[in-house]
Amino acid sequence: MDTGLTGRTVLIPGSTSGLGLASARAFAAEGAHVVIAGRRAALATAEAEALASSPGSAVGLECDLTVTGAAERLVEQATHAYGPIDVLVLNSGGPPAGSAVDATPEAVESAMLTLLQQQIRLVRAVLPGMQQRAWGRIVAIGSSGIQQPLDNLALSNTGRAALAGYLKTLAGEVASSGVTVNMVLPGRIDTDRVAALDQTRADKTGASTSEVRRTAEAGIPVGRYGTPEEFAAAVVFLASAPASYITGEQLRVDGGLVRSF
């Protein structure tokens, strides 16, 4: 399948590791110009350099989305590097695990800053150009917790659900201008973030991390954790030219974990 992504500029915040990095690698493999961004400048540069042999190209930029103005500066720097942004992959690290009972207003505010407010700022910075060119893709890396809230992840459930509401509304407003807006919802994908959550559960229950993982895998119809590469393939598809009639959707990549329709 020709994805139509050759030469397109793709911006992915939070892409120095995990699902963001896997997505960056997948876009570069399709010939796109990829902007890798993260809080550690040296790591962002190193990951970009590692893609030198791919069909596309990559540049690494420093960005800390907890800092005021960071979203707008990132878009400006990315545009300077490769030109107008064609694809924006919304991504951010997850907030600390914890219950809804223990969630303080301050913790909720911090989570909403990175999971919602800064994501909206990124969208607002790239959207006018996409609409003017009559082509654009906004793909958000969400969580299966949007559709089925996850235990002990109250802050993530709250912030990501709020973003989902915003993006669903946005999708209907910009569809006629050639811009699609979708979300990809990971289940248990084999990343450092999931490993850390498994460790947290192990510490809480007294089980070993291998026991926690086996229990989790038993609840997944496929019977295993997914790979970052499997997840990234879905992100690339929704950003591709053949997916131009898909918008306002949430695509689960969870091995059948969420049992709802």
Side-chain angles (χ1 to χ4, degrees), residues 169-232:
T169 306
L170 179 69
E173 294 174 353
V174 303
S176 63
S177 64
V179 179
T180 67
V181 184
N182 293 289
M183 300 190 79
V184 187
L185 311 184
R188 299 199 71 79
I189 309 296
D190 200 0
T191 62
D192 290 343
R193 165 72 170 173
V194 170
L197 292 174
D198 283 351
Q199 183 63 59
T200 297
R201 180 169 291 277
D203 294 341
K204 185 177 181 179
T205 63
S208 67
T209 53
S210 59
E211 289 172 333
V212 169
R213 177 160 179 155
R214 284 196 297 270
T215 299
E217 288 175 334
I220 303 171
V222 171
R224 62 175 176 83
Y225 285 8
T227 69
E229 291 75 22
E230 289 171 321
F231 180 86

Side-chain angles (χ1 to χ4, degrees), residues 116-149:
L116 178 65
Q117 294 176 24
Q118 293 287 50
Q119 308 304 312
I120 292 176
R121 288 182 179 277
L122 287 166
V123 170
R124 288 176 58 84
V126 304
L127 186 58
M130 290 180 174
Q131 292 178 295
Q132 184 178 18
R133 298 188 301 278
W135 200 99
R137 301 286 186 267
I138 298 171
V139 183
I141 297 177
S143 166
S144 60
I146 291 171
Q147 296 185 352
Q148 181 174 296

Side-chain angles (χ1 to χ4, degrees), residues 62-173:
E62 181 180 5
C63 178
D64 182 351
L65 288 179
T66 65
V67 177
T68 301
E72 291 83 359
R73 284 194 297 273
L74 176 60
V75 171
E76 182 179 352
Q77 292 172 334
T79 302
H80 179 74
Y82 283 133
I85 308 302
D86 298 301
V87 179
L88 171 63
V89 178
L90 294 173
N91 183 43
S92 65
S99 69
V101 170
D102 294 329
T104 65
E106 293 78 15
V108 172
E109 183 178 359
S110 177
M112 296 297 276
L113 172 64
T114 56
L115 296 180
L116 178 65
Q117 294 176 24
Q118 293 287 50
Q119 308 304 312
I120 292 176
R121 288 182 179 277
L122 287 166
V123 170
R124 288 176 58 84
V126 304
L127 186 58
M130 290 180 174
Q131 292 178 295
Q132 184 178 18
R133 298 188 301 278
W135 200 99
R137 301 286 186 267
I138 298 171
V139 183
I141 297 177
S143 166
S144 60
I146 291 171
Q147 296 185 352
Q148 181 174 296
L150 301 169
D151 292 343
N152 205 44
L153 286 178
L155 296 177
S156 177
N157 293 337
T158 302
R160 297 190 193 281
L163 180 63
Y166 166 77
L167 293 177
K168 179 64 174 178
T169 306
L170 179 69
E173 294 174 353

